[in-house]
Amino acid sequence: MTLWRKIERNVRDTLGEGALWSARDGAFYWVDILAPALNRLTLADGSIQRWDMPAPLGWVAERATGGLIGGFRDGAAPISLDPLTVGDRSDPEPHLPGNRMNDGKADRHGAIWCGTMDMSEDAVSGSFYRLSPSGEWQLIDSDYTVTNGPAFSPCGNWLYHTDSGRRTIYRFPIEGEGVGAREVFARFTEEDGYPDGMTTDAEGFLWVAHWDGGRISRFAPDGTRDRSIELPARRITNIAFAGDKLDRMFVTSAAKDLPDSEFDGALFEVDAGVTGNPAGVYAG
């Protein structure tokens, strides 16, 4: 039995990422980092819109005051649509012009957690940050090759974050506005590919996209692999639950450095058989 379907559209994402369900808009958002572009799938009618962005865009989150906030190559900025406007950037790394933002999410308390990486993927210059609702940047962790995730346990006690280049998923205990000591949660083998974007389901399991692994996997809270769902794209990048009941899973992929294909760079809907957790909203 096939557990996935391809969402038909005319555009193939070079680097699909930044999966986000907006209950407010009744829409699933995702980015094409390298196009760069922002996509929106409205679930009520299945329509898809795409906006060109002024710089590489790694992630988006809802803002409590309306619109979105996005993580661009040179920092986070508010985004309004219809018509499109992008506000001033707030950059935690003005001293690292070769870096860009890669992946990020808002937590239940209204803060953004996001990572940076070397645009060329050569230097170990990535870091993990928290952006407070008041707009202050806090360095959480450093020395990453390719930052990915993050994801939050539904109990609110754990934060998951990944260094894709090291094939390692980390877990941090959440302690107020910061985190405790980092620990290894799971490691990928060469056959697995590289761990990419992540989300958690309502049962507290972690879903991880496999870059160069052609699948998504579900991990139990103790780090053991529960199951995997194979997909026809090679580079799976991110995952989010959507819909009024959070029972529809959408999965992004990338066509970067791959030959023309029907599936690489496509958006998929997957029958995961579980429900997800509400997305956080940035309070700033």
Side-chain angles (χ1 to χ4, degrees), residues 70 72 74-78 87-94 101 131 135-137:
F72 290 89
D74 51 353
D88 294 334
R89 317 281 208 281
S90 172
D91 189 357
E93 297 181 340
M101 291 201 170
L131 176 62
E136 298 175 349
W137 289 101

Side-chain angles (χ1 to χ4, degrees), residues 241-249 269-276:
F241 288 92
D244 293 339
K245 298 179 180 179
L246 295 172
D247 58 352
R248 299 179 66 179
M249 177 188 279
E269 183 170 2
V270 175
D271 181 7
V274 293
T275 58

Side-chain angles (χ1 to χ4, degrees), residues 51-204:
W51 292 267
D52 292 335
M53 290 288 117
L57 176 64
W59 54 265
V60 289
E62 283 188 320
R63 293 184 73 202
T65 55
L68 305 169
I69 181 170
F72 290 89
R73 175 173 182 171
D74 51 353
I79 302 172
S80 297
L81 304 174
D82 305 318
L84 173 67
T85 60
V86 178
D88 294 334
R89 317 281 208 281
S90 172
D91 189 357
E93 297 181 340
H95 59 295
L96 293 173
N99 272 12
R100 68 166 174 85
M101 291 201 170
N102 190 51
D103 205 355
K105 286 188 179 75
D107 66 20
R108 64 175 68 184
H109 304 294
I112 297 286
W113 300 74
C114 58
T116 61
M117 60 175 282
D118 177 38
M119 189 78 176
S120 65
E121 301 184 27
D122 293 326
V124 184
S125 59
S127 292
F128 187 37
Y129 293 93
R130 179 183 182 271
L131 176 62
S132 74
S134 61
E136 298 175 349
W137 289 101
Q138 175 186 358
L139 177 63
I140 300 298
D141 202 12
S142 58
D143 296 323
Y144 283 77
T145 54
V146 179
T147 56
N148 261 305
F152 310 97
S153 65
C155 67
N157 295 331
W158 297 99
L159 182 151
Y160 300 95
H161 193 240
T162 288
D163 190 332
S164 297
R166 293 187 171 101
R167 303 184 196 262
T168 302
I169 302 169
Y170 299 112
R171 186 174 73 164
F172 299 82
I174 297 175
E175 299 176 353
E177 296 181 352
V179 296
R182 184 182 79 182
E183 62 186 54
V184 173
F185 176 75
R187 296 190 191 275
F188 273 29
T189 66
E190 184 173 350
E191 190 275 333
D192 289 328
Y194 301 85
D196 207 307
M198 306 181 290
T199 192
T200 54
D201 62 34
E203 298 175 6

